[in-house]
Amino acid sequence: SYVLTQPPSVSTAPGETATLTCAGNNLRYESVHWYQQKPGRAPLLVISYDSGRPSGIPERFSGSSSGNTATLTISSVEAGDEADYYCQVWNQSTDHWVFGGGTKVTVL
Amino acid sequence: EVQLVESGGGLVQPGGSLRLSCAASGFTFSNSYWMSWVRQAPGKGLEWVANMKQDASEKYYVDSVKGRFTITTDNAKNLVYLQMNSLRAEDTAVYYCARGSPPPGGLFDYWGQGALVTVSS
């Protein structure tokens, strides 16, 4: 089965930049999507197709992908950005939709 | 406005069955969208469970539920179902209904609030 690997946690001070990574075999051939999930809430799509930003998502959220790693960058981090963040792909080899294990972002 | 509202969750004994429903509104059921179920066990991450094309010509399941769960839609009523049979303790989770885009790509752009399924004796 296809695996996406994310660091369990990232801590950032308010106003600084949080960098979240998502690693997977041959990830360059997949489109990566990112979701934000706050406690007790449904996930929210924040980045689509590696670097697209859905309507209503602040410009502080940006995405990129290179080689076997995709990156979600949150600039000028705010207290309200504290959440779990998940990367996700559709894996063409298995016809399965796959989520990473998630990264908990803590704002110090 | 797109809305997805799940119902049908609850407590069920191991080996039992349950059917979740998802009422969709604010968009037209078509093959431009795939309807999906994603679950989250208590304190754990997200796990994709099942997807289907609106015309039912393609359905996919995570290996752990194949042969036990079935995803269907009632396109006339804009409803999505997840029939869950032979339930196990490890199926305990919040189940989210989500609207998705077709592969390749395959994202989930709208989510319901979730329905809790607890499998326990």
mmCIF file of all heavy atoms in Angstrom, chain A residues 73-107:
data_model
loop_
_atom_site.group_PDB
_atom_site.id
_atom_site.type_symbol
_atom_site.label_atom_id
_atom_site.label_comp_id
_atom_site.label_asym_id
_atom_site.label_seq_id
_atom_site.Cartn_x
_atom_site.Cartn_y
_atom_site.Cartn_z
ATOM 1 N N THR A 73 3.244 25.531 3.544
ATOM 2 C CA THR A 73 3.860 26.626 4.279
ATOM 3 C C THR A 73 2.780 27.567 4.790
ATOM 4 O O THR A 73 1.908 27.984 4.028
ATOM 5 C CB THR A 73 4.843 27.407 3.392
ATOM 6 O OG1 THR A 73 5.837 26.504 2.875
ATOM 7 C CG2 THR A 73 5.531 28.510 4.175
ATOM 8 N N ILE A 74 2.836 27.852 6.085
ATOM 9 C CA ILE A 74 1.905 28.809 6.684
ATOM 10 C C ILE A 74 2.737 29.999 7.137
ATOM 11 O O ILE A 74 3.555 29.888 8.069
ATOM 12 C CB ILE A 74 1.153 28.209 7.893
ATOM 13 C CG1 ILE A 74 0.546 26.843 7.545
ATOM 14 C CG2 ILE A 74 0.054 29.171 8.349
ATOM 15 C CD1 ILE A 74 -0.068 26.116 8.727
ATOM 16 N N SER A 75 2.548 31.130 6.482
ATOM 17 C CA SER A 75 3.312 32.334 6.809
ATOM 18 C C SER A 75 2.573 33.152 7.865
ATOM 19 O O SER A 75 1.340 33.066 7.977
ATOM 20 C CB SER A 75 3.518 33.181 5.554
ATOM 21 O OG SER A 75 4.130 32.422 4.534
ATOM 22 N N SER A 76 3.335 33.926 8.607
ATOM 23 C CA SER A 76 2.745 34.802 9.631
ATOM 24 C C SER A 76 1.714 34.038 10.457
ATOM 25 O O SER A 76 0.545 34.419 10.556
ATOM 26 C CB SER A 76 2.092 36.033 8.983
ATOM 27 O OG SER A 76 3.035 36.750 8.218
ATOM 28 N N VAL A 77 2.167 32.965 11.062
ATOM 29 C CA VAL A 77 1.274 32.060 11.786
ATOM 30 C C VAL A 77 0.472 32.797 12.859
ATOM 31 O O VAL A 77 1.001 33.654 13.586
ATOM 32 C CB VAL A 77 2.093 30.906 12.403
ATOM 33 C CG1 VAL A 77 1.276 30.130 13.421
ATOM 34 C CG2 VAL A 77 2.591 29.978 11.306
ATOM 35 N N GLU A 78 -0.801 32.437 12.955
ATOM 36 C CA GLU A 78 -1.698 33.010 13.962
ATOM 37 C C GLU A 78 -2.175 31.910 14.916
ATOM 38 O O GLU A 78 -2.134 30.724 14.571
ATOM 39 C CB GLU A 78 -2.913 33.645 13.271
ATOM 40 C CG GLU A 78 -2.557 34.730 12.277
ATOM 41 C CD GLU A 78 -3.779 35.231 11.517
ATOM 42 O OE1 GLU A 78 -4.888 34.674 11.726
ATOM 43 O OE2 GLU A 78 -3.635 36.175 10.708
ATOM 44 N N ALA A 79 -2.671 32.315 16.068
ATOM 45 C CA ALA A 79 -3.162 31.348 17.045
ATOM 46 C C ALA A 79 -4.256 30.464 16.448
ATOM 47 O O ALA A 79 -4.366 29.275 16.753
ATOM 48 C CB ALA A 79 -3.681 32.077 18.284
ATOM 49 N N GLY A 80 -5.062 31.048 15.573
ATOM 50 C CA GLY A 80 -6.153 30.308 14.941
ATOM 51 C C GLY A 80 -5.707 29.254 13.948
ATOM 52 O O GLY A 80 -6.538 28.482 13.462
ATOM 53 N N ASP A 81 -4.408 29.198 13.660
ATOM 54 C CA ASP A 81 -3.885 28.174 12.735
ATOM 55 C C ASP A 81 -3.572 26.873 13.460
ATOM 56 O O ASP A 81 -3.213 25.888 12.820
ATOM 57 C CB ASP A 81 -2.625 28.686 12.036
ATOM 58 C CG ASP A 81 -2.887 29.911 11.175
ATOM 59 O OD1 ASP A 81 -4.022 30.067 10.685
ATOM 60 O OD2 ASP A 81 -1.957 30.727 10.998
ATOM 61 N N GLU A 82 -3.681 26.884 14.791
ATOM 62 C CA GLU A 82 -3.450 25.645 15.541
ATOM 63 C C GLU A 82 -4.464 24.599 15.118
ATOM 64 O O GLU A 82 -5.676 24.801 15.200
ATOM 65 C CB GLU A 82 -3.577 25.886 17.054
ATOM 66 C CG GLU A 82 -2.309 26.265 17.733
ATOM 67 C CD GLU A 82 -2.292 25.910 19.218
ATOM 68 O OE1 GLU A 82 -3.337 25.522 19.775
ATOM 69 O OE2 GLU A 82 -1.204 26.037 19.800
ATOM 70 N N ALA A 83 -3.956 23.471 14.635
ATOM 71 C CA ALA A 83 -4.820 22.432 14.087
ATOM 72 C C ALA A 83 -3.960 21.255 13.672
ATOM 73 O O ALA A 83 -2.726 21.317 13.706
ATOM 74 C CB ALA A 83 -5.596 22.955 12.874
ATOM 75 N N ASP A 84 -4.637 20.180 13.265
ATOM 76 C CA ASP A 84 -3.957 19.069 12.603
ATOM 77 C C ASP A 84 -4.045 19.295 11.102
ATOM 78 O O ASP A 84 -5.086 19.740 10.586
ATOM 79 C CB ASP A 84 -4.621 17.739 12.960
ATOM 80 C CG ASP A 84 -4.475 17.390 14.428
ATOM 81 O OD1 ASP A 84 -3.399 17.671 15.000
ATOM 82 O OD2 ASP A 84 -5.422 16.842 15.006
ATOM 83 N N TYR A 85 -2.964 19.001 10.405
ATOM 84 C CA TYR A 85 -2.910 19.173 8.954
ATOM 85 C C TYR A 85 -2.570 17.829 8.308
ATOM 86 O O TYR A 85 -1.621 17.158 8.722
ATOM 87 C CB TYR A 85 -1.871 20.228 8.575
ATOM 88 C CG TYR A 85 -2.281 21.625 8.993
ATOM 89 C CD1 TYR A 85 -2.050 22.071 10.297
ATOM 90 C CD2 TYR A 85 -2.906 22.491 8.094
ATOM 91 C CE1 TYR A 85 -2.444 23.341 10.693
ATOM 92 C CE2 TYR A 85 -3.291 23.762 8.480
ATOM 93 C CZ TYR A 85 -3.066 24.176 9.779
ATOM 94 O OH TYR A 85 -3.459 25.438 10.173
ATOM 95 N N TYR A 86 -3.365 17.471 7.285
ATOM 96 C CA TYR A 86 -3.190 16.200 6.599
ATOM 97 C C TYR A 86 -2.913 16.424 5.118
ATOM 98 O O TYR A 86 -3.589 17.235 4.475
ATOM 99 C CB TYR A 86 -4.450 15.334 6.723
ATOM 100 C CG TYR A 86 -4.795 14.922 8.132
ATOM 101 C CD1 TYR A 86 -5.617 15.712 8.932
ATOM 102 C CD2 TYR A 86 -4.308 13.735 8.664
ATOM 103 C CE1 TYR A 86 -5.935 15.343 10.221
ATOM 104 C CE2 TYR A 86 -4.624 13.351 9.961
ATOM 105 C CZ TYR A 86 -5.434 14.164 10.722
ATOM 106 O OH TYR A 86 -5.753 13.784 12.017
ATOM 107 N N CYS A 87 -1.947 15.692 4.575
ATOM 108 C CA CYS A 87 -1.784 15.666 3.131
ATOM 109 C C CYS A 87 -2.540 14.447 2.591
ATOM 110 O O CYS A 87 -2.827 13.499 3.334
ATOM 111 C CB CYS A 87 -0.310 15.627 2.721
ATOM 112 S SG CYS A 87 0.637 14.214 3.351
ATOM 113 N N GLN A 88 -2.862 14.498 1.300
ATOM 114 C CA GLN A 88 -3.679 13.425 0.706
ATOM 115 C C GLN A 88 -3.409 13.361 -0.794
ATOM 116 O O GLN A 88 -3.210 14.388 -1.453
ATOM 117 C CB GLN A 88 -5.156 13.687 0.963
ATOM 118 C CG GLN A 88 -6.126 12.716 0.310
ATOM 119 C CD GLN A 88 -6.808 13.284 -0.916
ATOM 120 O OE1 GLN A 88 -7.254 14.419 -0.939
ATOM 121 N NE2 GLN A 88 -6.913 12.472 -1.976
ATOM 122 N N VAL A 89 -3.381 12.152 -1.341
ATOM 123 C CA VAL A 89 -3.244 11.936 -2.776
ATOM 124 C C VAL A 89 -4.210 10.849 -3.205
ATOM 125 O O VAL A 89 -4.710 10.069 -2.389
ATOM 126 C CB VAL A 89 -1.816 11.525 -3.185
ATOM 127 C CG1 VAL A 89 -0.793 12.574 -2.773
ATOM 128 C CG2 VAL A 89 -1.453 10.157 -2.630
ATOM 129 N N TRP A 90 -4.457 10.787 -4.502
ATOM 130 C CA TRP A 90 -5.048 9.607 -5.114
ATOM 131 C C TRP A 90 -3.890 8.853 -5.762
ATOM 132 O O TRP A 90 -3.180 9.418 -6.590
ATOM 133 C CB TRP A 90 -6.074 9.975 -6.173
ATOM 134 C CG TRP A 90 -6.541 8.771 -6.954
ATOM 135 C CD1 TRP A 90 -7.403 7.791 -6.539
ATOM 136 C CD2 TRP A 90 -6.149 8.401 -8.286
ATOM 137 N NE1 TRP A 90 -7.568 6.851 -7.528
ATOM 138 C CE2 TRP A 90 -6.821 7.200 -8.613
ATOM 139 C CE3 TRP A 90 -5.314 8.972 -9.236
ATOM 140 C CZ2 TRP A 90 -6.673 6.562 -9.838
ATOM 141 C CZ3 TRP A 90 -5.150 8.348 -10.469
ATOM 142 C CH2 TRP A 90 -5.836 7.153 -10.745
ATOM 143 N N ASN A 91 -3.677 7.614 -5.337
ATOM 144 C CA ASN A 91 -2.559 6.841 -5.839
ATOM 145 C C ASN A 91 -2.998 6.014 -7.035
ATOM 146 O O ASN A 91 -3.833 5.113 -6.900
ATOM 147 C CB ASN A 91 -2.005 5.941 -4.732
ATOM 148 C CG ASN A 91 -0.845 5.098 -5.224
ATOM 149 O OD1 ASN A 91 -0.922 3.882 -5.268
ATOM 150 N ND2 ASN A 91 0.238 5.752 -5.594
ATOM 151 N N GLN A 92 -2.413 6.304 -8.188
ATOM 152 C CA GLN A 92 -2.855 5.648 -9.415
ATOM 153 C C GLN A 92 -2.475 4.169 -9.460
ATOM 154 O O GLN A 92 -3.134 3.385 -10.149
ATOM 155 C CB GLN A 92 -2.286 6.369 -10.629
ATOM 156 C CG GLN A 92 -0.773 6.463 -10.670
ATOM 157 C CD GLN A 92 -0.306 7.299 -11.855
ATOM 158 O OE1 GLN A 92 -0.978 7.393 -12.873
ATOM 159 N NE2 GLN A 92 0.853 7.934 -11.711
ATOM 160 N N SER A 93 -1.474 3.775 -8.720
ATOM 161 C CA SER A 93 -1.060 2.373 -8.740
ATOM 162 C C SER A 93 -2.058 1.463 -8.048
ATOM 163 O O SER A 93 -2.209 0.297 -8.399
ATOM 164 C CB SER A 93 0.307 2.214 -8.086
ATOM 165 O OG SER A 93 1.276 2.965 -8.791
ATOM 166 N N THR A 94 -2.728 2.004 -7.039
ATOM 167 C CA THR A 94 -3.645 1.186 -6.238
ATOM 168 C C THR A 94 -5.106 1.591 -6.397
ATOM 169 O O THR A 94 -5.984 0.904 -5.889
ATOM 170 C CB THR A 94 -3.291 1.304 -4.748
ATOM 171 O OG1 THR A 94 -3.398 2.688 -4.347
ATOM 172 C CG2 THR A 94 -1.876 0.828 -4.488
ATOM 173 N N ASP A 95 -5.373 2.719 -7.102
ATOM 174 C CA ASP A 95 -6.739 3.266 -7.171
ATOM 175 C C ASP A 95 -7.283 3.523 -5.770
ATOM 176 O O ASP A 95 -8.468 3.318 -5.502
ATOM 177 C CB ASP A 95 -7.684 2.323 -7.926
ATOM 178 C CG ASP A 95 -7.553 2.454 -9.429
ATOM 179 O OD1 ASP A 95 -7.112 3.533 -9.880
ATOM 180 O OD2 ASP A 95 -7.861 1.482 -10.138
ATOM 181 N N HIS A 96 -6.398 3.934 -4.875
ATOM 182 C CA HIS A 96 -6.796 4.238 -3.501
ATOM 183 C C HIS A 96 -6.526 5.700 -3.197
ATOM 184 O O HIS A 96 -5.565 6.288 -3.682
ATOM 185 C CB HIS A 96 -6.008 3.369 -2.518
ATOM 186 C CG HIS A 96 -6.591 1.992 -2.332
ATOM 187 N ND1 HIS A 96 -7.245 1.316 -3.319
ATOM 188 C CD2 HIS A 96 -6.612 1.173 -1.259
ATOM 189 C CE1 HIS A 96 -7.649 0.150 -2.868
ATOM 190 N NE2 HIS A 96 -7.276 0.025 -1.618
ATOM 191 N N TRP A 97 -7.382 6.275 -2.366
ATOM 192 C CA TRP A 97 -7.143 7.610 -1.837
ATOM 193 C C TRP A 97 -6.391 7.445 -0.509
ATOM 194 O O TRP A 97 -6.774 6.619 0.322
ATOM 195 C CB TRP A 97 -8.481 8.316 -1.603
ATOM 196 C CG TRP A 97 -9.150 8.803 -2.862
ATOM 197 C CD1 TRP A 97 -9.257 10.098 -3.278
ATOM 198 C CD2 TRP A 97 -9.801 8.005 -3.873
ATOM 199 N NE1 TRP A 97 -9.926 10.159 -4.477
ATOM 200 C CE2 TRP A 97 -10.279 8.894 -4.871
ATOM 201 C CE3 TRP A 97 -10.026 6.642 -4.041
ATOM 202 C CZ2 TRP A 97 -10.958 8.462 -6.003
ATOM 203 C CZ3 TRP A 97 -10.710 6.205 -5.161
ATOM 204 C CH2 TRP A 97 -11.167 7.110 -6.128
ATOM 205 N N VAL A 98 -5.332 8.203 -0.322
ATOM 206 C CA VAL A 98 -4.432 7.988 0.811
ATOM 207 C C VAL A 98 -4.216 9.293 1.566
ATOM 208 O O VAL A 98 -3.974 10.339 0.937
ATOM 209 C CB VAL A 98 -3.074 7.437 0.336
ATOM 210 C CG1 VAL A 98 -2.134 7.219 1.528
ATOM 211 C CG2 VAL A 98 -3.259 6.128 -0.431
ATOM 212 N N PHE A 99 -4.285 9.228 2.890
ATOM 213 C CA PHE A 99 -3.969 10.369 3.745
ATOM 214 C C PHE A 99 -2.647 10.117 4.458
ATOM 215 O O PHE A 99 -2.331 8.970 4.816
ATOM 216 C CB PHE A 99 -5.041 10.583 4.815
ATOM 217 C CG PHE A 99 -6.334 11.143 4.301
ATOM 218 C CD1 PHE A 99 -7.377 10.302 3.939
ATOM 219 C CD2 PHE A 99 -6.513 12.516 4.188
ATOM 220 C CE1 PHE A 99 -8.573 10.810 3.466
ATOM 221 C CE2 PHE A 99 -7.705 13.043 3.724
ATOM 222 C CZ PHE A 99 -8.736 12.180 3.353
ATOM 223 N N GLY A 100 -1.909 11.191 4.694
ATOM 224 C CA GLY A 100 -0.776 11.093 5.592
ATOM 225 C C GLY A 100 -1.270 10.989 7.027
ATOM 226 O O GLY A 100 -2.451 11.181 7.310
ATOM 227 N N GLY A 101 -0.342 10.713 7.939
ATOM 228 C CA GLY A 101 -0.717 10.537 9.334
ATOM 229 C C GLY A 101 -1.086 11.806 10.065
ATOM 230 O O GLY A 101 -1.629 11.755 11.168
ATOM 231 N N GLY A 102 -0.787 12.958 9.449
ATOM 232 C CA GLY A 102 -1.148 14.235 10.053
ATOM 233 C C GLY A 102 -0.030 14.869 10.856
ATOM 234 O O GLY A 102 0.803 14.168 11.445
ATOM 235 N N THR A 103 -0.003 16.197 10.844
ATOM 236 C CA THR A 103 0.943 16.979 11.639
ATOM 237 C C THR A 103 0.162 17.941 12.518
ATOM 238 O O THR A 103 -0.675 18.696 12.024
ATOM 239 C CB THR A 103 1.890 17.793 10.733
ATOM 240 O OG1 THR A 103 2.702 16.909 9.965
ATOM 241 C CG2 THR A 103 2.788 18.703 11.576
ATOM 242 N N LYS A 104 0.446 17.901 13.810
ATOM 243 C CA LYS A 104 -0.202 18.833 14.733
ATOM 244 C C LYS A 104 0.629 20.101 14.810
ATOM 245 O O LYS A 104 1.812 20.049 15.171
ATOM 246 C CB LYS A 104 -0.334 18.218 16.122
ATOM 247 C CG LYS A 104 -1.044 19.124 17.133
ATOM 248 C CD LYS A 104 -1.220 18.452 18.459
ATOM 249 C CE LYS A 104 -1.962 19.341 19.454
ATOM 250 N NZ LYS A 104 -3.322 19.682 18.944
ATOM 251 N N VAL A 105 0.029 21.220 14.443
ATOM 252 C CA VAL A 105 0.702 22.512 14.508
ATOM 253 C C VAL A 105 0.330 23.213 15.815
ATOM 254 O O VAL A 105 -0.857 23.432 16.099
ATOM 255 C CB VAL A 105 0.336 23.397 13.307
ATOM 256 C CG1 VAL A 105 0.849 24.823 13.516
ATOM 257 C CG2 VAL A 105 0.916 22.807 12.029
ATOM 258 N N THR A 106 1.353 23.531 16.587
ATOM 259 C CA THR A 106 1.168 24.256 17.849
ATOM 260 C C THR A 106 1.745 25.653 17.713
ATOM 261 O O THR A 106 2.888 25.813 17.247
ATOM 262 C CB THR A 106 1.865 23.527 19.004
ATOM 263 O OG1 THR A 106 1.309 22.208 19.124
ATOM 264 C CG2 THR A 106 1.677 24.281 20.313
ATOM 265 N N VAL A 107 0.961 26.638 18.084
ATOM 266 C CA VAL A 107 1.433 28.028 18.065
ATOM 267 C C VAL A 107 1.840 28.394 19.486
ATOM 268 O O VAL A 107 1.015 28.411 20.403
ATOM 269 C CB VAL A 107 0.346 28.977 17.542
ATOM 270 C CG1 VAL A 107 0.868 30.406 17.511
ATOM 271 C CG2 VAL A 107 -0.103 28.552 16.143
#
